[in-house]
Structures are given as C-alpha cells and as structure tokens.
Amino acid sequence: EIFVNLDASFEFAYGKHGQHKVTLQVGDAIAVPAGVTHSYKNVMDGHPSQPGRILTVFPGRASITWDDGVVARARKMGAKCSDTGILIPEGALGSEALAALAQMEQSPTAEIDATEEDGKAYVVRHDSGSELRLESDDGWLELSWLRLNRGRVAELDPRVETVAVVIYGSVCCGENLQALDAVKQPSFFSAAEDSLVLLIKSSLPHDMDFFFGELRRGQKRLREAPAGLAS
C-alpha cells in the first residue's frame, strides 16, 4: 500500500503495536509492505474541522486486513460490512455485486514485525531527488516528482503508462489542471506557476495482485527521450 500526502502533514504509525512513528509532509510518499500493521492521522496545524487528503495507490486489487476489534467496533457504530471489514453498499445483493465483493476477500498476509529502521526505508521525500520504484516478476511501478517553474514545459514518454496528480500549482496538458487534479497519459506539461506534479508510472497488468521485492530509491536521472521529444 503506497500513500502520498496531498495537502496536509500525516503521521504514520507502524509495527505490531504502532510503536514506531514517522511524519510525512505534503508530497512525500511511503510504501508499506504487505503484512506491516500501520495507521495514519492528520497532524496538520489548523482548525480541527480542516480535512487533510491522502492518495492511496494499490498495486493490484484492494485488500485490507484490519487490526483486532476494528470490524466489531465499526459494526457497533452502524457500518454494514463483511466479517473481514469490506463495506457492503446499499442494495448490493445481486450475484454480480456479491461476486465483486468476493474478489476482495483474501487470506490474511503473515504479519511482519517492522522495526523503526525498516520504516525509515519505506519513506521517500518529495524533495529528496529520488524516485520510488517497486519491481516484481510481472513488471514495475514507479513514483517520481516533476518540479516545474513558471513557464517551463516538460514532455513525457507516451509509450509509458502514466497517471499524473498535481500536488500544488497550476499546469496545462491540453486542459488546465489545478492542485489535486489528476490526468491519465499526459504527453506534456506547461506550468502557469511554480508547480509540483506526482507521476505514477507502471508496466503492470490491471487484473492481478503483486508482491514486490525491496523498495528501490533510485536517484532521479535524465532518460533518453523517444524521437520527437525533448530530453
């Protein structure tokens, strides 16, 4: 499970008892391996009613194993959910709806007792100059950050499957995008003001679940652009 802070600071707790903590700022990312118990909370200064938004990237079908007692407490508060904590939408009684819910029912992953040092390795700061890359036998998933000063134009490789999310600023890619807007398969960005754009690139198929090897934090590097694109 990969998280990126969109507009607030979040504190992530991890370990069997949530005893280890790390705070991420806007634009930072954390990739939590399957089996690591974790939680997060908004720690942004400001009015308690001010929401903070966080982007979650599931490399495969969404499946969550809740901590002991979470499902029981949710039901007590009125949540309609399965025994594993999957929320059941109103009217989800047809065979197709039940089949869709069944796809999310998976065997729990063995718990990993992550150390404090393990957690530090999960984090990639948006201003570190590094990218977050996860690889498996089926392909790869990469998060990187594109910083654009006002007036700058950046061109992207159309052969690579890409989803882009504007963290802050204003850019154009054939349509005008503001903070928190997302676009699939952009070919270029032109910045109307200083901007930060999150790029999520992948070579993975869309109908499988993936377990990745060790997270790689490669230094950002200039790649050779295809014919017709500026490097």
Side-chain angles (χ1 to χ4, degrees):
E1 206 173 7
I2 302 168
F3 302 95
V4 181
N5 295 9
L6 293 179
D7 59 0
S9 298
F10 281 84
E11 179 186 85
F12 286 80
Y14 58 95
K16 283 189 174 182
H17 307 290
Q19 67 270 34
H20 310 304
K21 295 179 174 64
V22 62
T23 299
L24 273 65
Q25 306 302 324
V26 173
D28 292 345
I30 183 169
V32 184
V36 174
T37 299
H38 57 281
S39 62
Y40 55 89
K41 66 178 179 180
N42 183 350
V43 293
M44 194 76 167
D45 293 334
H47 195 277
S49 64
Q50 181 66 34
R53 284 162 285 201
I54 193 165
L55 172 70
T56 305
V57 181
F58 284 104
R61 292 177 299 179
S63 177
I64 298 175
T65 302
W66 295 104
D67 199 10
D68 294 341
V70 171
V71 175
R73 292 196 298 272
R75 284 175 165 170
K76 187 176 181 180
M77 296 295 292
K80 295 180 180 180
C81 57
S82 68
D83 292 341
T84 58
I86 298 173
L87 291 175
I88 301 174
E90 292 290 338
L93 299 176
S95 57
E96 291 186 4
L98 295 177
L101 292 173
Q103 288 185 0
M104 299 178 66
E105 299 280 4
Q106 300 186 42
S107 299
T109 302
E111 186 172 10
I112 298 173
D113 189 10
T115 66
E116 185 174 6
E117 289 301 312
D118 290 336
K120 292 178 181 178
Y122 302 156
V123 176
V124 180
R125 304 288 180 179
H126 76 279
D127 56 359
S128 66
S130 297
E131 60 195 17
L132 184 160
R133 187 178 177 92
L134 298 169
E135 297 182 353
S136 75
D137 293 339
D138 301 295
W140 52 266
L141 178 76
E142 179 185 288
L143 273 67
S144 61
W145 291 261
L146 180 62
R147 291 169 184 79
L148 296 170
N149 295 329
R150 181 180 178 181
R152 181 186 167 192
V153 177
E155 296 183 329
L156 305 178
D157 189 342
R159 300 171 301 183
V160 178
E161 184 170 359
T162 303
V163 173
V165 181
V166 181
I167 303 298
Y168 63 75
S170 175
V171 298
C172 177
C173 62
E175 59 180 312
N176 294 321
L177 302 178
Q178 307 295 326
L180 306 188
D181 287 342
V183 61
K184 184 175 181 180
Q185 217 58 27
S187 60
F188 75 95
F189 283 114
S190 174
E193 58 183 288
D194 292 352
S195 304
L196 178 66
V197 180
L198 173 70
L199 300 177
I200 306 173
K201 302 177 182 179
S202 174
S203 68
L204 297 168
H206 292 193
D207 57 350
M208 298 173 61
D209 297 316
F210 308 98
F211 290 89
F212 295 99
E214 183 177 352
L215 181 151
R216 298 185 182 182
R217 294 188 288 180
Q219 293 297 313
K220 292 252 328 185
R221 56 195 182 277
L222 289 176
R223 293 188 175 88
E224 182 180 352
L229 293 185
S231 60

